[in-house]
Amino acid sequence: MLVVGNGGLDCGVSREDLEKVFQPFGVILDIILLPKKPYSFVCYEKTDDAKRAYENVNHTKLVTQQNSVFILYLSYVNKVPSTPRPSSEWPPGLVLKEDVINEQFEELLMNLINWSLVEEKGTLKHRLVKHYGFEFRYGSNDVDPTKPLPEPIPNECQPLLQMMVDLGLVKEKPDQLTVNRYEPGQGIPPHLDTVSMFEDGIASLSLGSEVIMEFKHLDGREVPVLLPRRSLLVMNGEARTLWTHGISAKKSDLVYEQQGYRLQQRGIRVSFTFRKIASKKENQFQIPRNEKEASQMEEFHVHQVIRTQQCASCSQSGSSS
């Protein structure tokens, strides 16, 4: 078994990069890539194959699929660590529907906006953005319901909205839409959409490229969720009140599969985030029905105060999925 320095996920080296280098020397039983580590492990079926790989690869250059160049440093090891698995316990109230639209509808929606016209006034630090129905206010993560925009949600979205209602993903058709366009390397800060402003069931459609969205509970638990192309993510209940969600600003994601982690390069991603402005009844103060609910409400409101203070200094960054 060999440990490969400068050959890990933290360097941007993928399983395919390592296979290309090490497969010529014999049968590989396993390649172990660990998250946030600059090294990897290559396990051969035969010791002689490992020796031959060491003699030929140690101190040589590796050119990755992204044209990055690294000098590999090899050493023998007697055992390798197991691959850590990300948490499989999603936040309660989180729903992900894959392939909710076809490729033709995806192309239609991605071409719905002329981004060259949006660029002048719709550029945020992390992405391009356009609003429909109501403007989403960054910093406070809400809208002003008394100031509707002249452009409602486009008619092209109506079949999707009706499907969301028919499937029971939302109770009513949304009346606010935020469209974001992300280049590889762009992301969004962790945030909560203001609960009192929107009804339950915030839905985000991912187009163009898959991405990892990171959910973090107030107690520190973290859960990465892969959002495939043409998938619809819906946040209800605890998932949107006690868990922040965000996307790291980087050009690739670590995606866990049965054989371990793979490095997935990001492409241009467009997200359509739909919300329904809450009625006056929804905006009224609610009395907790039991001790657990009271504790959750207290925890949420304390967190909201902290997040508001944090966002006040970075409101130009934006925070809408």
Side-chain angles (χ1 to χ4, degrees), residues 179-203:
V179 184
N180 288 282
R181 185 180 189 273
Y182 302 88
E183 297 283 347
Q186 296 176 330
I188 53 176
H191 66 283
L192 290 170
D193 290 356
T194 301
V195 175
S196 60
M197 181 59 61
F198 307 108
E199 293 188 359
D200 226 10
I202 294 178

Side-chain angles (χ1 to χ4, degrees), residues 4-15 18 32-40 64 68 70 250 252-254 261-263 265:
V4 184
N6 272 353
L9 292 170
D10 201 44
C11 299
V13 176
S14 68
R15 183 178 302 274
L18 295 172
I32 299 175
L33 291 154
L34 303 174
K36 300 181 180 179
K37 301 297 182 183
Y39 52 81
S40 59
T64 70
S68 298
F70 297 95
K250 53 188 180 181
S252 60
D253 289 300
L254 297 182
Y261 285 92
R262 65 175 170 88
L263 195 66
Q265 300 298 324

Side-chain angles (χ1 to χ4, degrees), residues 48-113:
D48 289 343
D49 295 339
K51 290 181 179 179
R52 189 159 55 251
Y54 177 88
E55 294 169 355
N56 287 273
V57 178
N58 192 29
H59 290 193
T60 63
K61 291 182 179 180
L62 165 68
V63 181
T64 70
Q65 295 175 330
Q66 304 304 310
N67 292 321
S68 298
V69 180
F70 297 95
I71 302 296
L72 300 181
Y73 298 96
L74 276 58
S75 181
Y76 296 108
V77 292
N78 294 321
K79 60 180 181 179
V80 297
S82 58
T83 302
R85 297 187 177 188
S87 175
S88 59
E89 295 184 9
W90 283 14
L94 191 66
V95 178
L96 181 67
K97 296 288 186 181
E98 298 188 27
D99 294 317
V100 293
I101 60 174
N102 57 33
E103 293 183 4
Q104 291 74 24
F105 196 11
E106 177 186 36
E107 183 178 2
L108 171 68
L109 293 179
M110 289 192 69
N111 294 324
L112 194 61
I113 299 172

